Amino acid sequence: MASSVTAPLERQLGQVPGLRQMTSISSDSSSVITLQFNLNLSIDVAQQEVQQSINASGTYLPADLPTPPLYRKINPADAPVLTLALTSRERPLSEVEDLADTRLAPKLSQLPGVGLVSISGGQKPAVRIQANPTQLASYGMNLEDVRSALATANVNQAKGNFDGPHQSWQIGAAISCSPAKIMPVWWSLTKTAPRSN
């Protein structure tokens, strides 16, 4: 991530006029670049320059980037004005988080004066797969075929994080397809199995 995404963006963003300081943090699946500008520079002008730099870096970024780079205009001195906690007795936590992410957050971010809406906590759904090597072989497949199908169907993202008072750690996980570490979803495998006549 640091060499394929962060570095090309930093090269372009480093040329923005009025830039006072640039810092970045890269992990397995994300990159955060923070830009600080001279106080005499109009923030709207800086915003346009940042967008132009992001657009110019597009040819240097990986073609399989899941989403284009995004930017947000924020004041680091601003404290949250409103914090909401959502619960439900009828819906699972993963559905509540999805509703907050896809419906509530976009509506809140469109309100005048709202600089940033962020969602934390919640629960993302997960799938475990158990493969039967004998049945896979009867379809002309092996565990590597399953692993590669899963890898192409899923973006490699962080699995979570620990936030401490002075440091934050991101939790990552390597993909491992040994039979003991995979749980059942046979029906999805048969859809992609090659057929021989």
Side-chain angles (χ1 to χ4, degrees):
M1 189 58 94
S3 62
S4 63
V5 175
T6 308
L9 285 169
E10 284 179 336
R11 280 192 291 277
Q12 293 296 323
L13 293 169
Q15 300 173 27
V16 173
L19 180 64
R20 197 178 87 206
Q21 183 180 5
M22 177 169 43
T23 58
S24 65
I25 299 171
S26 298
S27 65
D28 287 343
S29 61
S30 70
S31 176
V32 176
I33 301 173
T34 304
L35 307 174
Q36 293 180 8
F37 294 94
N38 294 328
L39 294 176
N40 60 358
L41 180 67
S42 164
I43 194 67
D44 294 323
V45 171
Q47 182 178 359
Q48 290 173 352
E49 294 285 341
V50 167
Q51 182 61 59
Q52 289 173 357
S53 294
I54 290 173
N55 293 343
S57 67
T59 57
Y60 304 109
L61 297 174
D64 62 347
L65 205 59
T67 58
L70 304 172
Y71 71 93
R72 293 185 179 136
K73 179 174 67 171
I74 60 170
N75 182 351
D78 289 344
V81 175
L82 176 67
T83 302
L84 296 174
L86 304 175
T87 61
S88 174
R89 290 187 177 141
E90 289 85 30
R91 298 179 185 266
L93 187 55
S94 59
E95 192 174 331
V96 172
E97 181 185 27
D98 184 55
L99 289 170
D101 190 29
T102 59
R103 295 196 182 168
L104 183 61
K107 295 288 186 191
L108 290 174
S109 64
Q110 294 172 0
L111 294 173
V114 174
L116 174 66
V117 175
S118 61
I119 297 176
S120 60
Q123 187 178 57
K124 296 276 187 198
V127 175
R128 293 181 180 213
I129 297 171
Q130 180 177 355
N132 181 331
T134 307
Q135 283 185 304
L136 284 173
S138 72
Y139 286 97
M141 298 175 68
N142 59 33
L143 290 176
E144 178 56 27
D145 296 328
V146 175
R147 190 211 59 80
S148 100
L150 291 171
T152 56
N154 293 288
V155 177
N156 185 17
Q157 295 181 336
K159 309 304 180 237
N161 62 339
F162 292 116
D163 291 321
H166 304 290
Q167 252 182 330
S168 293
W169 295 273
Q170 200 163 51
I171 303 167
I175 295 174
S176 177
C177 283
S178 67
K181 295 183 180 178
I182 309 176
M183 304 299 231
V185 183
W186 174 251
W187 58 268
S188 67
L189 300 176
T190 58
K191 292 179 183 177
T192 61
R195 295 180 188 241
S196 56
N197 293 333

